[in-house]
Amino acid sequence: GTVEFIVDGDRNFYFIEMNTRLQVEHPVTELITGQDLVEHMIRVAAGEQLSLSQDDVKLTGWAMESRLYAEDPYRNFLPSIGRLTRYRPPAESPDYAPGVQPSEPVVRNDTGVYEGGEISMFYDPMIAKLCTWGPDRAAAIEGQRNALDEFEVEGIGHNLPFLSAVYDHERFTSGNITTAFIAEEYPEGFEGASLPADAVKRLAAGAAAMRLVTARRDGRVSGTVARKDHPAGTDWVVTVAGESFPVSTKRSVTGYLRTEEGTELGLTSKGADPRQPQVLVHGQGSVEVMFEDGQVMLVEGDWTPGDTLTTAMIDGVRMSVKVDPITDGFRIRYRGADLPVKVRSPRAAELAALMPEKLPPDTSKMLLCPMPGLVVSIAVAEGDEVQDGQALATVEAMKMENVLRAEKKAVIKKINASAGDSLAVDDVIMEFE
């Protein structure tokens, strides 16, 4: 069983309960003890004696577990349902198996979902348990950071950004945390992580490198107005996190090329003869990005347009980022931050600065469904006057009933839903005068 305690500020421990069953956190115990708890349970259930004593249990290293949930941290962790249009967990450590004590950092992912599968409103929102082991706490945390960076989930709202932000938070890394951590650090709700200035600048360099690769590819598309060998522009203005970085880029490739005859050629120059038909077999592309202040960052990676995850060395720092194309740039997600990064020519950037900002629509006179779910009940009628905090409707999703309340005094103008209706996120439940 699992025995649970709570500890106070003076490090006094208090017993809470014992759960006489396998717990969600059991991989952590397996990683630090090298024991296979499931095998032990099956053998005991079959009538065998437990094969070890307490003295045989040795605790080695540190292990951590992150619960990947179908809950949207940007909507106060409300459940999110839908189809997993992309589900690509990080690579697990090939040599690890329960019952074996790790000797080097381990990544383990316990899951029961698959790409194309549906997360419905009728079950628990947990998708996976991502576990890491390291010889010390810092190594286990770093393992989680890298694994979360490489975890791709699309199609639903999920808590990956929040988990990444927590592992980078100073209070968490120092261990100065309590059960009030979320309420204290995110009193207005989670709105994404803020990256340090050096990380933002590295992302700007990475985006400029990807834009150069895209421009070079576009210039080689046949049938276009531009000549096939037309040189791509190398000067850009990268706008990210409220900052603009004028940069110049220069690309080189090292690795191996294969001729049409099948001969592999070493390549260390800054390009290949375009008259010689060749295909890049394997190798590392690199882009030098020079900033206006004179700093030069080297971006080394093998990203190609269409890749949704790329790992690159940027100014000597390994970074795994999720990438999606947007107008004039990329949507980049890294360490809990979700950033639109615009990469424009200097002239386009000059004109973009003159464009008016598009404001979101006013929904202050509407009650929107905060999550996909089933309407259990409507507590008011059209024409009713409601007060601040009064219950308006109840919506059920993932074994939880959520009571939606009025944020201020108002009169109900129109009700658009009724009990039994299945609603999507942001469907209008009712309107106010």
Side-chain angles (χ1 to χ4, degrees), residues 31 61 114 195-196 207 216 242 257 289 351 370 376 417 425-426:
L31 283 163
Y114 57 91
L195 298 178
R216 288 173 62 91
L257 294 175
V289 181
L351 296 175
V376 176
V425 173
D426 289 340

Side-chain angles (χ1 to χ4, degrees), residues 151-191:
F151 210 136
E152 295 184 83
V153 181
E154 303 291 350
I156 61 166
H158 53 78
N159 64 335
L160 277 179
F162 175 75
L163 294 172
S164 292
V166 169
Y167 281 108
D168 262 358
H169 200 288
E170 184 277 331
R171 277 189 60 187
F172 182 84
T173 56
S174 68
N176 181 28
I177 51 174
T178 71
T179 52
F181 175 80
I182 295 177
E184 292 170 354
E185 296 300 324
Y186 306 102
E188 303 300 322
F190 180 74
E191 297 179 353

Side-chain angles (χ1 to χ4, degrees), residues 230-293:
H230 184 74
T234 59
D235 294 332
W236 315 97
V237 176
V238 184
T239 304
V240 53
E243 294 190 68
S244 290
F245 300 95
V247 299
S248 296
T249 53
K250 181 172 62 175
R251 185 174 188 266
S252 62
V253 178
T254 57
Y256 292 89
L257 294 175
R258 179 180 295 157
T259 67
E260 286 185 328
E261 291 75 27
T263 304
E264 286 198 0
L265 304 174
L267 177 67
T268 56
S269 64
K270 293 182 180 179
D273 184 349
R275 296 167 296 183
Q276 174 79 39
Q278 296 168 334
V279 178
L280 182 65
V281 178
H282 57 86
Q284 192 82 355
S286 63
V287 177
E288 290 183 1
V289 181
M290 178 177 288
F291 288 82
E292 198 173 38
D293 60 7

Side-chain angles (χ1 to χ4, degrees), residues 33 38 41 64 77 96 113 119 133 157 221 223 240 250 276 290 294 313 334 340 357 359 368 402 424 426:
T33 62
V38 177
M41 291 176 69
M64 291 193 173
F77 298 94
Y96 170 75
V113 303
I119 305 298
W133 178 92
V221 175
V240 53
K250 181 172 62 175
Q276 174 79 39
M290 178 177 288
M313 293 295 293
Y334 175 71
E357 182 181 359
L359 300 176
L368 305 181
N402 300 273
D426 289 340

Side-chain angles (χ1 to χ4, degrees), residues 7-339:
V7 60
D8 65 16
D10 297 323
R11 294 186 176 271
N12 296 308
F13 285 77
Y14 301 90
F15 171 77
I16 300 178
E17 63 177 349
M18 177 175 179
N19 293 291
T20 54
R21 57 181 171 82
L22 201 65
Q23 289 288 92
V24 173
E25 302 84 3
H26 85 271
V28 170
T29 302
E30 293 189 341
L31 283 163
I32 62 173
T33 62
Q35 300 294 327
D36 188 331
L37 299 187
V38 177
E39 180 179 348
H40 285 312
M41 291 176 69
I42 292 173
R43 290 185 178 278
V44 170
E48 296 183 17
Q49 291 293 316
L50 192 62
S51 61
L52 74 166
S53 68
Q54 186 63 46
D55 291 338
D56 297 322
V57 180
K58 308 299 181 184
L59 305 185
T60 304
W62 282 75
M64 291 193 173
E65 175 182 303
S66 297
R67 298 190 191 185
L68 174 57
Y69 268 64
E71 293 180 343
D72 191 342
Y74 300 105
R75 292 174 175 267
N76 199 28
F77 298 94
L78 289 172
S80 176
I81 65 173
R83 192 164 301 282
L84 288 167
T85 57
R86 192 171 186 85
Y87 181 74
R88 308 286 174 89
E92 296 186 75
S93 301
D95 298 330
Y96 170 75
V100 176
Q101 177 61 55
S103 59
E104 57 184 25
V106 164
V107 175
R108 168 178 169 174
N109 187 57
D110 291 10
T111 186
V113 303
Y114 57 91
E115 187 166 293
E118 184 179 3
I119 305 298
S120 80
M121 70 176 73
F122 303 110
Y123 299 97
D124 188 275
M126 188 165 64
I127 297 173
K129 300 181 296 184
L130 179 65
C131 309
T132 57
W133 178 92
D136 52 38
R137 186 171 185 269
I141 290 175
E142 187 62 20
Q144 282 283 345
R145 288 170 176 160
N146 293 330
L148 289 167
D149 285 344
E150 297 170 7
F151 210 136
E152 295 184 83
V153 181
E154 303 291 350
I156 61 166
H158 53 78
N159 64 335
L160 277 179
F162 175 75
L163 294 172
S164 292
V166 169
Y167 281 108
D168 262 358
H169 200 288
E170 184 277 331
R171 277 189 60 187
F172 182 84
T173 56
S174 68
N176 181 28
I177 51 174
T178 71
T179 52
F181 175 80
I182 295 177
E184 292 170 354
E185 296 300 324
Y186 306 102
E188 303 300 322
F190 180 74
E191 297 179 353
S194 297
L195 298 178
D198 57 342
V200 171
K201 198 170 185 179
R202 287 196 297 271
L203 287 181
M210 290 189 293
R211 183 67 182 90
L212 179 64
V213 171
T214 303
R216 288 173 62 91
R217 184 203 64 170
D218 293 347
R220 290 183 171 87
V221 175
S222 61
T224 58
V225 175
R227 296 194 317 275
K228 191 174 182 180
D229 59 347
H230 184 74
T234 59
D235 294 332
W236 315 97
V237 176
V238 184
T239 304
V240 53
E243 294 190 68
S244 290
F245 300 95
V247 299
S248 296
T249 53
K250 181 172 62 175
R251 185 174 188 266
S252 62
V253 178
T254 57
Y256 292 89
L257 294 175
R258 179 180 295 157
T259 67
E260 286 185 328
E261 291 75 27
T263 304
E264 286 198 0
L265 304 174
L267 177 67
T268 56
S269 64
K270 293 182 180 179
D273 184 349
R275 296 167 296 183
Q276 174 79 39
Q278 296 168 334
V279 178
L280 182 65
V281 178
H282 57 86
Q284 192 82 355
S286 63
V287 177
E288 290 183 1
V289 181
M290 178 177 288
F291 288 82
E292 198 173 38
D293 60 7
Q295 183 179 5
V296 178
M297 289 189 179
L298 186 65
V299 181
E300 300 173 279
D302 56 1
W303 180 84
T304 56
D307 289 349
T308 57
L309 175 69
T310 183
T311 298
M313 293 295 293
I314 304 179
D315 198 34
V317 178
R318 180 185 183 276
M319 301 178 74
S320 294
V321 299
K322 301 176 182 76
V323 182
D324 295 295
I326 59 175
T327 302
D328 292 339
F330 309 94
R331 176 194 178 195
I332 293 181
R333 285 167 288 173
Y334 175 71
R335 295 289 165 93
D338 191 335
L339 302 169

